[in-house]
Amino acid sequence: MRQKGGILHPSTKQYIEQDGNIFLQRPTFMPNMGPASLKPSYPIEARTHQQFEPVILKNSTWWENWAFKNFFDMQEATLIGAQAPAIYQHTFNTLVEFGLLGDRHTNKNAKVWGIETAAIHNRYRY
């Protein structure tokens, strides 16, 4: 999530609310973004999305592979499709409860998760 820019900074509030639309008004201190620009990506509970990363898809996603490696063995491989949404709901909600992640909703009422800025800190002083 962090490596894909999935941080819930106040500057990304409108970007998330507008479903990842990069062509809306942006703060003046931010650079221009176009279709080829790297944009923040957040896990989203919708099954399809063009800007954000769906947690569960028809084809395996990184998120499904992670759940499979951590919660299932080879004999239970057929259960991943049915269990992964519940695993992610519980995992993300727990991380929200502890303040590491936050959740927001798009204008289409899809839930998006990201890293709370308060959870980020610099361990090293220069």
Side-chain angles (χ1 to χ4, degrees):
M1 211 179 295
R2 179 187 56 81
Q3 292 177 340
K4 292 187 175 191
I7 298 169
L8 296 174
H9 189 273
S11 299
T12 61
K13 182 178 186 253
Q14 188 176 15
Y15 173 72
I16 293 169
E17 287 173 353
Q18 296 301 320
D19 222 30
N21 186 343
I22 60 170
F23 297 106
L24 296 174
Q25 185 178 3
R26 63 173 172 71
T28 55
F29 64 86
M30 291 184 70
N32 291 330
M33 291 197 317
S37 299
L38 291 175
K39 298 168 277 302
S41 182
Y42 301 91
I44 188 170
E45 70 180 354
R47 289 202 173 264
T48 60
H49 201 275
Q50 296 208 347
Q51 299 299 332
F52 302 144
E53 189 174 357
V55 175
I56 306 299
L57 283 174
K58 200 174 223 182
N59 301 327
S60 290
T61 65
W62 180 92
W63 299 100
E64 282 181 293
N65 290 334
W66 179 88
F68 179 76
K69 288 176 185 177
N70 288 284
F71 296 105
F72 295 95
D73 62 27
M74 293 308 287
Q75 289 77 26
E76 298 171 335
T78 57
L79 297 176
I80 188 68
Q83 300 300 318
I87 289 169
Y88 277 106
Q89 279 290 94
H90 181 71
T91 302
F92 286 152
N93 288 338
T94 301
L95 291 171
V96 168
E97 187 177 317
F98 281 94
L100 297 174
L101 296 184
D103 55 6
R104 306 290 186 272
H105 288 84
T106 68
N107 59 0
K108 296 178 182 172
N109 206 30
K111 188 184 276 189
V112 173
W113 293 276
I115 301 169
E116 287 286 3
T117 54
I120 299 171
H121 67 296
N122 188 355
R123 292 183 180 182
Y124 305 100
R125 294 188 186 251
Y126 297 99

